[in-house]
Amino acid sequence: MREHETISRTAGATVLTLVAVVCAAGLADVLRRRRGRIRERARGRSETARRHTPHGIPTIPRQRRTGPAAEAVHLTDAERDAFAGLVRRLSEGG
């Protein structure tokens, strides 16, 4: 070991390297599992026939999106012109 290298510095570098390797391995595992789930969905298997996971644990069916429709506001011509003027002023930086 050289003079300027201390044990704590070497140990710190080793720990950081190990943490980086473990994080990379975990990320690779998560991405691999995600890719597998995407492939299963792409196969087009029926939802009623496959309500259970491979381990036999029942799952909750996906929720349907039946929420409120998107809101819309109808502006008068004067309001539309005022908004256009505000946008112009803001885009000019003033």
Side-chain angles (χ1 to χ4, degrees):
M1 198 181 302
R2 296 184 198 142
E3 281 181 23
H4 64 280
E5 292 180 359
T6 63
I7 291 176
S8 61
R9 188 175 185 182
T10 305
T14 303
V15 167
L16 286 175
T17 302
L18 289 175
V19 167
V21 168
V22 168
C23 286
L27 180 62
D29 186 50
V30 167
L31 292 176
R32 180 183 55 82
R33 288 182 188 199
R34 184 177 184 203
R35 189 175 351 136
R37 282 192 302 256
I38 291 171
R39 285 183 184 162
E40 285 178 4
R41 284 188 210 137
R43 284 187 205 144
R45 59 187 201 170
S46 68
E47 195 173 314
T48 56
R50 300 283 184 157
R51 289 276 166 114
H52 293 81
T53 61
H55 304 292
I57 302 170
T59 59
I60 299 173
R62 291 194 177 267
Q63 299 293 317
R64 294 183 182 168
R65 296 188 181 204
T66 58
E71 295 181 21
V73 176
H74 299 287
L75 301 176
T76 64
D77 290 335
E79 290 171 330
R80 195 173 294 116
D81 291 340
F83 184 72
L86 177 65
V87 169
R88 256 192 313 274
R89 248 192 317 160
L90 292 174
S91 66
E92 291 172 358

